Amino acid sequence: MREPLKDPPVPWPGEVPPLPSWAVWCGTTAWWLTDGLVTVSQMRLLRSLGEVEGSEGAMWRMALASALLWVPFTVLGLRLAERLPLGRERLGRAVAAHLGALALVVLGRAAFVLLTQDVFAWYERPPGAGVVLVQSVANNLLTWLLLTAGAHALGLARRAHVRQRRADQLQAQLAEARLQGLAAQLRPHFLFNALNAVASLVHHNPDGAERMLARLGDLLRHSLESGGRQEVTLREEQAALAPYLDIERTRFGPRLEVEWQLAPDVLEACVPHLALQPLVENAIRHGLAPRAEPGRVRISAERDGEALRVRVRDDGLGLPGGVAPARGGGVGLSNLRARLATLYGPGAALELRPDTPRGTVAELRLPLRAAPGGKAA
């Protein structure tokens, strides 16, 4: 029995690496140095209004000392939030650690005030240790709570970023696996149809069959040389289709005429590998092959705004009932539609419609993107 699917476990903080020490110390120092300068500016303004007294030097010493003393405590808070964030897991241990850090902050800053009273003159008259401790609680409790909240918010943001990046990577890997599966399905289908075309000539045209086998070898070589690439240039796609067209020309003789009309400025545009082959094969097999008179396949490509428009037209029998199927169309076309959806989403489309005065046109619209080093788009 298949086990029910379970939600993936929620990653804990170990999923994100700690911030670099140099970044933590530099950023924290810059933050509190700025805070100290703002405090000095405010004190100078109040002194100009007669609200506070004191020398310029004393203001600088007190403001900067008080601000910069927060630097090691801020680093402590950031590291503690990285290692023991407040969450459902290990909550008791995390709360105890943060309360211990708060006690260290209160006691440490109170001790600093007592030890440096003669240097900075924090109080006009030195108070008792109990008064300094109570004052330290009043002055530092809210600041520490805000600092702890900020450290946790930073940790949550970093974990959310990592989760989103991993989700994007998994999505990309899934899309790549899907494309590889579609390509693995398309190549045998392509070669199987070409081999059938060769087999039809073996008995009544051995020389033609031999030439077709040689071109079939070229088809295999092109398939192997693609190296698993999902996209090639339009120029490469034209070269890959040439052996197949030669096989069909040998098979149909003068009954088949092929015409290329590719605009020079789109030859380096990206197209899905083996995108043209199912369109041409569909035109020959279903449009031209069932009738006795000659027929023509015209392959064109041009720029249409920010899109590449590729058309394969034939003057054959046309669509059954004159109506184009919205979906489906055999293995080749179904495969091509699936690859377009995976590669480009709604940015690409494949449409089959009756042509004028007869026949069928298959139109492929893709985002116009140039291959690396190309000139399209």
Side-chain angles (χ1 to χ4, degrees):
M1 179 180 295
R2 178 178 295 178
E3 295 183 356
L5 294 177
K6 299 179 180 178
D7 293 335
V10 178
W12 194 242
E15 64 185 321
V16 294
L19 290 168
S21 295
W22 66 268
V24 171
W25 282 100
C26 291
T28 303
T29 302
W31 173 270
W32 285 112
L33 185 60
T34 303
D35 178 82
L37 295 176
V38 171
T39 301
V40 169
S41 300
Q42 293 173 341
M43 293 178 66
R44 293 180 67 183
L45 177 61
L46 293 175
R47 193 180 70 165
S48 66
L49 296 175
E51 298 291 335
V52 297
E53 297 178 353
S55 64
E56 182 86 7
M59 283 193 306
W60 279 96
R61 288 194 300 270
M62 292 176 65
L64 293 179
S66 178
L68 293 179
L69 184 59
W70 272 109
V71 172
F73 293 128
T74 302
V75 173
L76 171 66
L78 287 172
R79 294 306 192 199
L80 194 57
E82 288 176 344
R83 292 181 176 274
L84 290 172
L86 296 171
R88 287 179 296 181
E89 297 184 24
R90 299 183 292 180
L91 179 60
R93 182 180 176 187
V95 170
H98 285 278
L99 289 177
L102 172 60
L104 179 63
V105 170
V106 171
L107 293 174
R109 290 186 67 85
F112 180 79
V113 168
L114 290 174
L115 294 174
T116 59
Q117 169 64 27
D118 295 338
V119 178
F120 297 104
W122 303 102
Y123 298 94
E124 292 183 3
R125 294 180 181 178
V131 174
V132 174
L133 184 60
V134 172
Q135 192 70 35
S136 179
V137 172
N139 291 341
N140 301 313
L141 177 61
L142 180 60
T143 303
W144 176 255
L145 292 178
L146 292 175
L147 189 152
T148 301
H152 279 76
L154 177 62
L156 289 173
R158 295 184 68 215
R159 288 195 288 277
H161 174 72
V162 169
R163 290 175 183 176
Q164 184 61 45
R165 188 175 60 186
R166 289 178 179 171
D168 292 343
Q169 290 174 345
L170 289 175
Q171 188 66 30
Q173 291 172 357
L174 181 62
E176 179 64 23
R178 174 178 166 81
L179 288 170
Q180 293 292 349
L182 290 169
Q185 177 193 33
L186 184 59
R187 290 191 187 97
H189 173 76
F190 178 22
L191 297 173
F192 178 75
N193 289 338
L195 190 59
N196 277 342
V198 175
S200 66
L201 288 185
V202 167
H203 296 293
H204 67 275
N205 187 0
D207 293 338
E210 186 177 357
R211 289 195 301 273
M212 292 169 70
L213 283 175
R215 299 304 280 160
L216 184 58
D218 293 337
L219 272 177
L220 289 169
R221 181 171 55 80
H222 275 293
S223 179
L224 293 175
E225 287 179 349
S226 67
R229 288 185 295 164
Q230 296 298 333
E231 289 183 309
V232 297
T233 65
L234 183 58
R235 188 192 303 277
E236 291 176 303
E237 184 68 4
Q238 181 186 21
L241 186 62
Y244 175 78
L245 289 175
D246 287 345
I247 290 173
E248 296 293 14
R249 285 197 192 96
T250 303
R251 178 184 170 198
F252 286 92
R255 289 177 52 209
L256 175 62
E257 182 181 348
V258 179
E259 179 182 345
W260 289 91
Q261 294 179 341
L262 305 182
D265 61 339
V266 298
L267 287 176
E268 302 305 322
C270 289
V271 296
H273 184 43
L274 297 181
L276 291 180
Q277 189 278 333
L279 303 181
V280 174
E281 178 187 325
N282 196 61
I284 294 175
R285 292 187 62 188
H286 302 293
L288 305 182
R291 67 178 194 177
E293 61 267 29
R296 172 182 296 177
V297 175
R298 183 182 303 162
I299 307 165
S300 63
E302 60 186 357
R303 178 174 187 155
D304 183 11
E306 298 301 320
L308 171 66
R309 185 168 60 185
V310 180
R311 289 195 180 107
V312 177
R313 324 176 84 112
D314 69 82
D315 55 358
L317 296 179
L319 296 166
V323 179
R327 310 294 297 175
V331 174
L333 296 185
S334 299
N335 185 292
L336 179 56
R337 282 196 173 97
R339 295 175 68 206
L340 292 177
T342 305
L343 280 171
Y344 309 109
L350 171 61
E351 180 187 6
L352 289 179
R353 62 175 183 269
D355 201 4
T356 304
R358 63 178 183 178
T360 305
V361 55
E363 181 172 304
L364 185 62
R365 289 180 64 86
L366 306 170
L368 183 58
R369 293 189 292 104
K375 298 179 180 178

